Amino acid sequence: MSERSLLMLPLANLMPPLPGLGGGWDGSTKTYAPSPVWRDSTTDDVKFSPMPKKQAVKLYHRARDFERRTRQPGRQDGAIGRNGLALLHAMIFDFLDFRTGQLDPAQETIAKKAGISLRSAARGLANLKLSGVLNWVRRCSASFINGRYTLEQDTNAYAILPSSQWLGYVEPPEAPAPQSGTWGDHPCAMREPLTEAVTEQRQGGGTEAVIRQLELDRPGTVAAALASLGRAMIARKP
């Protein structure tokens, strides 16, 4: 192409795409990046909020309660669904950094840890977002390759929202404090994972759900040993 022809080209064709827009300099849908990214992806740093483990565990149990309440007769899933609960469990107990709140695993990694397919994981994530339990920010990274500005898709940054923001969920009322000097005049602890596992099984929960409850107990306990045995039995199945 001659120098004269080059000068006659629109300026938009000579400029790199705007960061984070996923399109041309003129805002069109055309992109010059070798690997196009989602249009709402950001290159900015995402700030995570710390979430203590006790708070995270409480949210998971409330999510299970939310799922039970919204499950209609004759249907297998409620507002969150089985896949959504499996993903939430994996996020909280396998990927969430309680100290910093960082939660940004790849979708394929979450699906593998939850023991479901990538397509099921996509549906589970959609249910979690629609119900207000989970939200995320799409991220991408910018770089120059051979003098060309490019954007590459990065993992999402996830945030587990407080139960007060869940759509259609009514938080259980706080139990009144016992009168001083009476029986029960002390904080009630959360039920043991073994008890939760038995309750889950009686309410029709599957083997995977029961094992997850047992895995909430600390190492060396009966519940932890039963969870390990259950995982080993599942692994041996053809």
Side-chain angles (χ1 to χ4, degrees), residues 33-72:
S35 301
V37 300
W38 290 95
R39 292 182 64 88
D40 57 350
S41 299
T42 178
T43 57
D44 297 335
D45 292 334
V46 176
K47 294 183 178 180
F48 295 93
S49 299
M51 177 176 288
K53 184 176 182 179
K54 185 176 181 180
Q55 178 184 350
V57 172
K58 184 177 181 180
L59 284 176
Y60 174 72
H61 283 283
R62 288 193 172 184
R64 291 175 63 241
D65 178 55
F66 187 23
E67 171 66 11
R68 292 194 190 102
R69 291 187 191 183
T70 55
R71 187 182 301 153
Q72 300 297 324

mmCIF file of all heavy atoms in Angstrom, residues 33-72:
data_model
loop_
_atom_site.group_PDB
_atom_site.id
_atom_site.type_symbol
_atom_site.label_atom_id
_atom_site.label_comp_id
_atom_site.label_asym_id
_atom_site.label_seq_id
_atom_site.Cartn_x
_atom_site.Cartn_y
_atom_site.Cartn_z
ATOM 1 N N ALA A 33 -7.933 -7.514 18.454
ATOM 2 C CA ALA A 33 -7.218 -8.380 19.374
ATOM 3 C C ALA A 33 -7.199 -9.800 18.825
ATOM 4 O O ALA A 33 -8.210 -10.279 18.316
ATOM 5 C CB ALA A 33 -7.871 -8.357 20.750
ATOM 6 N N PRO A 34 -6.073 -10.517 18.922
ATOM 7 C CA PRO A 34 -6.026 -11.909 18.454
ATOM 8 C C PRO A 34 -7.032 -12.795 19.180
ATOM 9 O O PRO A 34 -7.571 -13.717 18.600
ATOM 10 C CB PRO A 34 -4.582 -12.322 18.775
ATOM 11 C CG PRO A 34 -3.820 -11.045 18.859
ATOM 12 C CD PRO A 34 -4.778 -10.032 19.398
ATOM 13 N N SER A 35 -7.276 -12.524 20.475
ATOM 14 C CA SER A 35 -8.226 -13.299 21.258
ATOM 15 C C SER A 35 -9.273 -12.346 21.835
ATOM 16 O O SER A 35 -9.049 -11.741 22.892
ATOM 17 C CB SER A 35 -7.516 -14.053 22.395
ATOM 18 O OG SER A 35 -6.525 -14.921 21.876
ATOM 19 N N PRO A 36 -10.422 -12.147 21.182
ATOM 20 C CA PRO A 36 -11.444 -11.223 21.665
ATOM 21 C C PRO A 36 -11.922 -11.607 23.071
ATOM 22 O O PRO A 36 -11.945 -12.786 23.426
ATOM 23 C CB PRO A 36 -12.570 -11.377 20.640
ATOM 24 C CG PRO A 36 -11.902 -11.898 19.415
ATOM 25 C CD PRO A 36 -10.791 -12.766 19.896
ATOM 26 N N VAL A 37 -12.312 -10.625 23.858
ATOM 27 C CA VAL A 37 -12.776 -10.849 25.222
ATOM 28 C C VAL A 37 -14.207 -10.344 25.350
ATOM 29 O O VAL A 37 -14.732 -9.670 24.474
ATOM 30 C CB VAL A 37 -11.868 -10.129 26.242
ATOM 31 C CG1 VAL A 37 -10.442 -10.632 26.131
ATOM 32 C CG2 VAL A 37 -11.907 -8.617 26.036
ATOM 33 N N TRP A 38 -14.855 -10.678 26.480
ATOM 34 C CA TRP A 38 -16.202 -10.189 26.750
ATOM 35 C C TRP A 38 -16.183 -8.662 26.809
ATOM 36 O O TRP A 38 -15.272 -8.056 27.368
ATOM 37 C CB TRP A 38 -16.709 -10.750 28.077
ATOM 38 C CG TRP A 38 -17.002 -12.220 28.037
ATOM 39 C CD1 TRP A 38 -16.174 -13.240 28.406
ATOM 40 C CD2 TRP A 38 -18.216 -12.839 27.596
ATOM 41 N NE1 TRP A 38 -16.783 -14.455 28.226
ATOM 42 C CE2 TRP A 38 -18.050 -14.241 27.737
ATOM 43 C CE3 TRP A 38 -19.433 -12.353 27.118
ATOM 44 C CZ2 TRP A 38 -19.042 -15.147 27.403
ATOM 45 C CZ3 TRP A 38 -20.434 -13.267 26.793
ATOM 46 C CH2 TRP A 38 -20.228 -14.638 26.929
ATOM 47 N N ARG A 39 -17.222 -8.043 26.285
ATOM 48 C CA ARG A 39 -17.248 -6.588 26.174
ATOM 49 C C ARG A 39 -17.204 -5.902 27.536
ATOM 50 O O ARG A 39 -16.725 -4.781 27.648
ATOM 51 C CB ARG A 39 -18.504 -6.141 25.407
ATOM 52 C CG ARG A 39 -18.493 -6.523 23.945
ATOM 53 C CD ARG A 39 -19.735 -6.006 23.242
ATOM 54 N NE ARG A 39 -19.778 -4.551 23.233
ATOM 55 C CZ ARG A 39 -19.217 -3.808 22.293
ATOM 56 N NH1 ARG A 39 -18.543 -4.386 21.296
ATOM 57 N NH2 ARG A 39 -19.309 -2.504 22.318
ATOM 58 N N ASP A 40 -17.753 -6.539 28.583
ATOM 59 C CA ASP A 40 -17.782 -5.902 29.897
ATOM 60 C C ASP A 40 -16.595 -6.298 30.766
ATOM 61 O O ASP A 40 -16.610 -6.099 31.982
ATOM 62 C CB ASP A 40 -19.090 -6.228 30.625
ATOM 63 C CG ASP A 40 -19.310 -7.739 30.772
ATOM 64 O OD1 ASP A 40 -18.549 -8.505 30.136
ATOM 65 O OD2 ASP A 40 -20.224 -8.135 31.505
ATOM 66 N N SER A 41 -15.550 -6.868 30.172
ATOM 67 C CA SER A 41 -14.358 -7.230 30.941
ATOM 68 C C SER A 41 -13.563 -5.978 31.292
ATOM 69 O O SER A 41 -13.554 -4.998 30.546
ATOM 70 C CB SER A 41 -13.474 -8.193 30.140
ATOM 71 O OG SER A 41 -14.165 -9.383 29.839
ATOM 72 N N THR A 42 -12.902 -6.019 32.433
ATOM 73 C CA THR A 42 -12.132 -4.871 32.892
ATOM 74 C C THR A 42 -10.678 -5.264 33.110
ATOM 75 O O THR A 42 -10.379 -6.407 33.471
ATOM 76 C CB THR A 42 -12.713 -4.307 34.202
ATOM 77 O OG1 THR A 42 -11.913 -3.207 34.652
ATOM 78 C CG2 THR A 42 -12.727 -5.367 35.300
ATOM 79 N N THR A 43 -9.804 -4.301 32.886
ATOM 80 C CA THR A 43 -8.385 -4.509 33.164
ATOM 81 C C THR A 43 -8.001 -3.940 34.528
ATOM 82 O O THR A 43 -6.847 -4.042 34.928
ATOM 83 C CB THR A 43 -7.533 -3.831 32.077
ATOM 84 O OG1 THR A 43 -7.869 -2.435 32.015
ATOM 85 C CG2 THR A 43 -7.772 -4.462 30.715
ATOM 86 N N ASP A 44 -8.949 -3.329 35.224
ATOM 87 C CA ASP A 44 -8.668 -2.747 36.538
ATOM 88 C C ASP A 44 -8.485 -3.831 37.588
ATOM 89 O O ASP A 44 -9.032 -4.938 37.468
ATOM 90 C CB ASP A 44 -9.807 -1.820 36.969
ATOM 91 C CG ASP A 44 -9.962 -0.627 36.034
ATOM 92 O OD1 ASP A 44 -8.961 -0.271 35.382
ATOM 93 O OD2 ASP A 44 -11.073 -0.080 35.951
ATOM 94 N N ASP A 45 -7.746 -3.514 38.631
ATOM 95 C CA ASP A 45 -7.588 -4.430 39.750
ATOM 96 C C ASP A 45 -8.893 -4.517 40.528
ATOM 97 O O ASP A 45 -9.576 -3.505 40.748
ATOM 98 C CB ASP A 45 -6.465 -3.954 40.680
ATOM 99 C CG ASP A 45 -5.093 -4.058 40.030
ATOM 100 O OD1 ASP A 45 -4.938 -4.915 39.128
ATOM 101 O OD2 ASP A 45 -4.194 -3.288 40.406
ATOM 102 N N VAL A 46 -9.257 -5.718 40.924
ATOM 103 C CA VAL A 46 -10.486 -5.944 41.688
ATOM 104 C C VAL A 46 -10.129 -6.071 43.164
ATOM 105 O O VAL A 46 -9.225 -6.817 43.526
ATOM 106 C CB VAL A 46 -11.213 -7.214 41.200
ATOM 107 C CG1 VAL A 46 -12.437 -7.490 42.053
ATOM 108 C CG2 VAL A 46 -11.604 -7.070 39.736
ATOM 109 N N LYS A 47 -10.845 -5.337 44.000
ATOM 110 C CA LYS A 47 -10.607 -5.391 45.440
ATOM 111 C C LYS A 47 -11.572 -6.384 46.081
ATOM 112 O O LYS A 47 -12.786 -6.253 45.966
ATOM 113 C CB LYS A 47 -10.786 -4.006 46.060
ATOM 114 C CG LYS A 47 -9.746 -2.985 45.599
ATOM 115 C CD LYS A 47 -9.939 -1.649 46.309
ATOM 116 C CE LYS A 47 -8.871 -0.651 45.876
ATOM 117 N NZ LYS A 47 -9.042 0.664 46.552
ATOM 118 N N PHE A 48 -11.018 -7.395 46.742
ATOM 119 C CA PHE A 48 -11.829 -8.389 47.427
ATOM 120 C C PHE A 48 -12.039 -7.970 48.885
ATOM 121 O O PHE A 48 -11.227 -7.229 49.449
ATOM 122 C CB PHE A 48 -11.147 -9.760 47.392
ATOM 123 C CG PHE A 48 -11.015 -10.342 46.009
ATOM 124 C CD1 PHE A 48 -9.858 -10.138 45.264
ATOM 125 C CD2 PHE A 48 -12.038 -11.093 45.467
ATOM 126 C CE1 PHE A 48 -9.731 -10.680 43.998
ATOM 127 C CE2 PHE A 48 -11.914 -11.632 44.191
ATOM 128 C CZ PHE A 48 -10.761 -11.428 43.459
ATOM 129 N N SER A 49 -13.127 -8.449 49.477
ATOM 130 C CA SER A 49 -13.422 -8.154 50.879
ATOM 131 C C SER A 49 -13.230 -9.426 51.707
ATOM 132 O O SER A 49 -13.743 -10.486 51.340
ATOM 133 C CB SER A 49 -14.860 -7.643 51.042
ATOM 134 O OG SER A 49 -15.052 -6.445 50.322
ATOM 135 N N PRO A 50 -12.521 -9.345 52.819
ATOM 136 C CA PRO A 50 -12.310 -10.532 53.661
ATOM 137 C C PRO A 50 -13.636 -11.121 54.133
ATOM 138 O O PRO A 50 -14.604 -10.390 54.355
ATOM 139 C CB PRO A 50 -11.497 -9.984 54.840
ATOM 140 C CG PRO A 50 -10.861 -8.728 54.328
ATOM 141 C CD PRO A 50 -11.840 -8.143 53.351
ATOM 142 N N MET A 51 -13.669 -12.429 54.274
ATOM 143 C CA MET A 51 -14.862 -13.115 54.775
ATOM 144 C C MET A 51 -14.424 -14.211 55.734
ATOM 145 O O MET A 51 -13.870 -15.235 55.311
ATOM 146 C CB MET A 51 -15.695 -13.716 53.636
ATOM 147 C CG MET A 51 -16.914 -14.507 54.121
ATOM 148 S SD MET A 51 -17.966 -15.112 52.774
ATOM 149 C CE MET A 51 -18.713 -13.587 52.212
ATOM 150 N N PRO A 52 -14.628 -14.043 57.037
ATOM 151 C CA PRO A 52 -14.246 -15.071 58.001
ATOM 152 C C PRO A 52 -14.927 -16.404 57.687
ATOM 153 O O PRO A 52 -16.046 -16.433 57.155
ATOM 154 C CB PRO A 52 -14.739 -14.487 59.339
ATOM 155 C CG PRO A 52 -14.837 -13.012 59.102
ATOM 156 C CD PRO A 52 -15.220 -12.849 57.669
ATOM 157 N N LYS A 53 -14.250 -17.482 58.022
ATOM 158 C CA LYS A 53 -14.787 -18.811 57.704
ATOM 159 C C LYS A 53 -16.140 -19.042 58.366
ATOM 160 O O LYS A 53 -17.046 -19.638 57.764
ATOM 161 C CB LYS A 53 -13.794 -19.889 58.156
ATOM 162 C CG LYS A 53 -14.238 -21.305 57.767
ATOM 163 C CD LYS A 53 -13.196 -22.336 58.133
ATOM 164 C CE LYS A 53 -13.637 -23.737 57.702
ATOM 165 N NZ LYS A 53 -12.623 -24.762 58.027
ATOM 166 N N LYS A 54 -16.314 -18.567 59.598
ATOM 167 C CA LYS A 54 -17.587 -18.753 60.306
ATOM 168 C C LYS A 54 -18.726 -18.098 59.537
ATOM 169 O O LYS A 54 -19.822 -18.664 59.422
ATOM 170 C CB LYS A 54 -17.489 -18.158 61.715
ATOM 171 C CG LYS A 54 -18.721 -18.404 62.574
ATOM 172 C CD LYS A 54 -18.514 -17.875 63.977
ATOM 173 C CE LYS A 54 -19.744 -18.140 64.837
ATOM 174 N NZ LYS A 54 -19.557 -17.623 66.233
ATOM 175 N N GLN A 55 -18.477 -16.926 58.994
ATOM 176 C CA GLN A 55 -19.492 -16.226 58.209
ATOM 177 C C GLN A 55 -19.776 -16.956 56.910
ATOM 178 O O GLN A 55 -20.937 -17.075 56.488
ATOM 179 C CB GLN A 55 -19.026 -14.794 57.914
ATOM 180 C CG GLN A 55 -20.004 -13.986 57.062
ATOM 181 C CD GLN A 55 -19.458 -12.617 56.715
ATOM 182 O OE1 GLN A 55 -18.431 -12.190 57.245
ATOM 183 N NE2 GLN A 55 -20.136 -11.921 55.824
ATOM 184 N N ALA A 56 -18.722 -17.471 56.272
ATOM 185 C CA ALA A 56 -18.898 -18.192 55.007
ATOM 186 C C ALA A 56 -19.695 -19.477 55.207
ATOM 187 O O ALA A 56 -20.576 -19.809 54.408
ATOM 188 C CB ALA A 56 -17.535 -18.489 54.394
ATOM 189 N N VAL A 57 -19.399 -20.204 56.282
ATOM 190 C CA VAL A 57 -20.130 -21.438 56.579
ATOM 191 C C VAL A 57 -21.601 -21.124 56.850
ATOM 192 O O VAL A 57 -22.504 -21.849 56.408
ATOM 193 C CB VAL A 57 -19.492 -22.166 57.779
ATOM 194 C CG1 VAL A 57 -20.352 -23.338 58.217
ATOM 195 C CG2 VAL A 57 -18.090 -22.646 57.428
ATOM 196 N N LYS A 58 -21.851 -20.042 57.558
ATOM 197 C CA LYS A 58 -23.223 -19.637 57.854
ATOM 198 C C LYS A 58 -23.985 -19.333 56.570
ATOM 199 O O LYS A 58 -25.154 -19.710 56.421
ATOM 200 C CB LYS A 58 -23.204 -18.415 58.766
ATOM 201 C CG LYS A 58 -24.582 -17.957 59.228
ATOM 202 C CD LYS A 58 -24.467 -16.780 60.187
ATOM 203 C CE LYS A 58 -25.836 -16.327 60.683
ATOM 204 N NZ LYS A 58 -25.713 -15.179 61.620
ATOM 205 N N LEU A 59 -23.330 -18.665 55.622
ATOM 206 C CA LEU A 59 -23.975 -18.351 54.353
ATOM 207 C C LEU A 59 -24.287 -19.621 53.567
ATOM 208 O O LEU A 59 -25.333 -19.717 52.909
ATOM 209 C CB LEU A 59 -23.081 -17.426 53.523
ATOM 210 C CG LEU A 59 -23.043 -15.958 53.951
ATOM 211 C CD1 LEU A 59 -22.046 -15.190 53.094
ATOM 212 C CD2 LEU A 59 -24.419 -15.328 53.843
ATOM 213 N N TYR A 60 -23.380 -20.603 53.628
ATOM 214 C CA TYR A 60 -23.632 -21.848 52.901
ATOM 215 C C TYR A 60 -24.864 -22.559 53.463
ATOM 216 O O TYR A 60 -25.712 -23.055 52.697
ATOM 217 C CB TYR A 60 -22.426 -22.766 52.962
ATOM 218 C CG TYR A 60 -22.694 -24.116 52.339
ATOM 219 C CD1 TYR A 60 -22.808 -24.242 50.954
ATOM 220 C CD2 TYR A 60 -22.871 -25.246 53.126
ATOM 221 C CE1 TYR A 60 -23.090 -25.470 50.375
ATOM 222 C CE2 TYR A 60 -23.152 -26.477 52.550
ATOM 223 C CZ TYR A 60 -23.259 -26.591 51.176
ATOM 224 O OH TYR A 60 -23.546 -27.804 50.603
ATOM 225 N N HIS A 61 -24.973 -22.613 54.787
ATOM 226 C CA HIS A 61 -26.129 -23.279 55.388
ATOM 227 C C HIS A 61 -27.417 -22.517 55.080
ATOM 228 O O HIS A 61 -28.477 -23.129 54.896
ATOM 229 C CB HIS A 61 -25.932 -23.408 56.897
ATOM 230 C CG HIS A 61 -24.995 -24.510 57.274
ATOM 231 N ND1 HIS A 61 -25.365 -25.836 57.271
ATOM 232 C CD2 HIS A 61 -23.691 -24.488 57.655
ATOM 233 C CE1 HIS A 61 -24.339 -26.587 57.641
ATOM 234 N NE2 HIS A 61 -23.315 -25.794 57.868
ATOM 235 N N ARG A 62 -27.341 -21.213 54.999
ATOM 236 C CA ARG A 62 -28.528 -20.444 54.624
ATOM 237 C C ARG A 62 -28.893 -20.685 53.160
ATOM 238 O O ARG A 62 -30.078 -20.666 52.800
ATOM 239 C CB ARG A 62 -28.295 -18.957 54.881
ATOM 240 C CG ARG A 62 -28.288 -18.606 56.356
ATOM 241 C CD ARG A 62 -28.384 -17.112 56.609
ATOM 242 N NE ARG A 62 -28.552 -16.840 58.029
ATOM 243 C CZ ARG A 62 -28.743 -15.631 58.545
ATOM 244 N NH1 ARG A 62 -28.762 -14.574 57.736
ATOM 245 N NH2 ARG A 62 -28.903 -15.463 59.842
ATOM 246 N N ALA A 63 -27.886 -20.893 52.325
ATOM 247 C CA ALA A 63 -28.151 -21.202 50.922
ATOM 248 C C ALA A 63 -28.868 -22.549 50.789
ATOM 249 O O ALA A 63 -29.785 -22.700 49.968
ATOM 250 C CB ALA A 63 -26.849 -21.212 50.132
ATOM 251 N N ARG A 64 -28.472 -23.515 51.606
ATOM 252 C CA ARG A 64 -29.161 -24.816 51.607
ATOM 253 C C ARG A 64 -30.605 -24.642 52.056
ATOM 254 O O ARG A 64 -31.528 -25.254 51.505
ATOM 255 C CB ARG A 64 -28.436 -25.800 52.525
ATOM 256 C CG ARG A 64 -27.072 -26.240 52.014
ATOM 257 C CD ARG A 64 -26.350 -27.123 53.005
ATOM 258 N NE ARG A 64 -27.061 -28.358 53.247
ATOM 259 C CZ ARG A 64 -27.538 -28.730 54.433
ATOM 260 N NH1 ARG A 64 -27.368 -27.963 55.477
ATOM 261 N NH2 ARG A 64 -28.158 -29.876 54.569
ATOM 262 N N ASP A 65 -30.823 -23.810 53.062
ATOM 263 C CA ASP A 65 -32.168 -23.536 53.538
ATOM 264 C C ASP A 65 -32.984 -22.828 52.452
ATOM 265 O O ASP A 65 -34.166 -23.137 52.240
ATOM 266 C CB ASP A 65 -32.091 -22.665 54.800
ATOM 267 C CG ASP A 65 -33.468 -22.294 55.334
ATOM 268 O OD1 ASP A 65 -34.273 -23.209 55.584
ATOM 269 O OD2 ASP A 65 -33.738 -21.092 55.500
ATOM 270 N N PHE A 66 -32.357 -21.897 51.742
ATOM 271 C CA PHE A 66 -33.006 -21.183 50.646
ATOM 272 C C PHE A 66 -33.431 -22.158 49.553
ATOM 273 O O PHE A 66 -34.544 -22.061 49.007
ATOM 274 C CB PHE A 66 -32.028 -20.141 50.098
ATOM 275 C CG PHE A 66 -32.605 -19.205 49.074
ATOM 276 C CD1 PHE A 66 -33.973 -18.969 49.001
ATOM 277 C CD2 PHE A 66 -31.773 -18.548 48.176
ATOM 278 C CE1 PHE A 66 -34.501 -18.095 48.060
ATOM 279 C CE2 PHE A 66 -32.293 -17.677 47.235
ATOM 280 C CZ PHE A 66 -33.655 -17.451 47.178
ATOM 281 N N GLU A 67 -32.564 -23.098 49.233
ATOM 282 C CA GLU A 67 -32.874 -24.089 48.202
ATOM 283 C C GLU A 67 -34.059 -24.960 48.620
ATOM 284 O O GLU A 67 -34.950 -25.242 47.807
ATOM 285 C CB GLU A 67 -31.639 -24.947 47.930
ATOM 286 C CG GLU A 67 -31.874 -26.152 47.030
ATOM 287 C CD GLU A 67 -32.242 -25.787 45.608
ATOM 288 O OE1 GLU A 67 -32.121 -24.604 45.232
ATOM 289 O OE2 GLU A 67 -32.685 -26.677 44.869
ATOM 290 N N ARG A 68 -34.094 -25.384 49.881
ATOM 291 C CA ARG A 68 -35.207 -26.224 50.359
ATOM 292 C C ARG A 68 -36.530 -25.462 50.302
ATOM 293 O O ARG A 68 -37.560 -26.000 49.908
ATOM 294 C CB ARG A 68 -34.942 -26.688 51.792
ATOM 295 C CG ARG A 68 -33.796 -27.669 51.955
ATOM 296 C CD ARG A 68 -33.861 -28.316 53.332
ATOM 297 N NE ARG A 68 -32.666 -29.080 53.619
ATOM 298 C CZ ARG A 68 -31.673 -28.666 54.394
ATOM 299 N NH1 ARG A 68 -31.755 -27.482 54.967
ATOM 300 N NH2 ARG A 68 -30.627 -29.422 54.617
ATOM 301 N N ARG A 69 -36.497 -24.200 50.706
ATOM 302 C CA ARG A 69 -37.738 -23.419 50.753
ATOM 303 C C ARG A 69 -38.326 -23.180 49.371
ATOM 304 O O ARG A 69 -39.552 -23.102 49.213
ATOM 305 C CB ARG A 69 -37.472 -22.064 51.409
ATOM 306 C CG ARG A 69 -37.149 -22.115 52.895
ATOM 307 C CD ARG A 69 -37.079 -20.686 53.431
ATOM 308 N NE ARG A 69 -36.531 -20.609 54.778
ATOM 309 C CZ ARG A 69 -36.427 -19.478 55.466
ATOM 310 N NH1 ARG A 69 -36.824 -18.336 54.912
ATOM 311 N NH2 ARG A 69 -35.920 -19.461 56.672
ATOM 312 N N THR A 70 -37.482 -23.044 48.379
ATOM 313 C CA THR A 70 -37.948 -22.707 47.033
ATOM 314 C C THR A 70 -38.135 -23.920 46.136
ATOM 315 O O THR A 70 -38.482 -23.765 44.962
ATOM 316 C CB THR A 70 -36.949 -21.736 46.358
ATOM 317 O OG1 THR A 70 -35.632 -22.307 46.381
ATOM 318 C CG2 THR A 70 -36.916 -20.405 47.096
ATOM 319 N N ARG A 71 -37.903 -25.104 46.671
ATOM 320 C CA ARG A 71 -38.080 -26.321 45.866
ATOM 321 C C ARG A 71 -39.556 -26.698 45.859
ATOM 322 O O ARG A 71 -40.143 -27.001 46.901
ATOM 323 C CB ARG A 71 -37.235 -27.455 46.429
ATOM 324 C CG ARG A 71 -37.223 -28.712 45.555
ATOM 325 C CD ARG A 71 -36.404 -29.792 46.227
ATOM 326 N NE ARG A 71 -35.042 -29.365 46.465
ATOM 327 C CZ ARG A 71 -34.273 -29.835 47.449
ATOM 328 N NH1 ARG A 71 -34.753 -30.737 48.293
ATOM 329 N NH2 ARG A 71 -33.042 -29.398 47.597
ATOM 330 N N GLN A 72 -40.181 -26.676 44.691
ATOM 331 C CA GLN A 72 -41.591 -26.976 44.556
ATOM 332 C C GLN A 72 -41.829 -28.481 44.472
ATOM 333 O O GLN A 72 -40.952 -29.235 44.021
ATOM 334 C CB GLN A 72 -42.147 -26.294 43.301
ATOM 335 C CG GLN A 72 -42.018 -24.780 43.302
ATOM 336 C CD GLN A 72 -42.816 -24.135 44.414
ATOM 337 O OE1 GLN A 72 -43.911 -24.607 44.748
ATOM 338 N NE2 GLN A 72 -42.280 -23.066 44.988
#
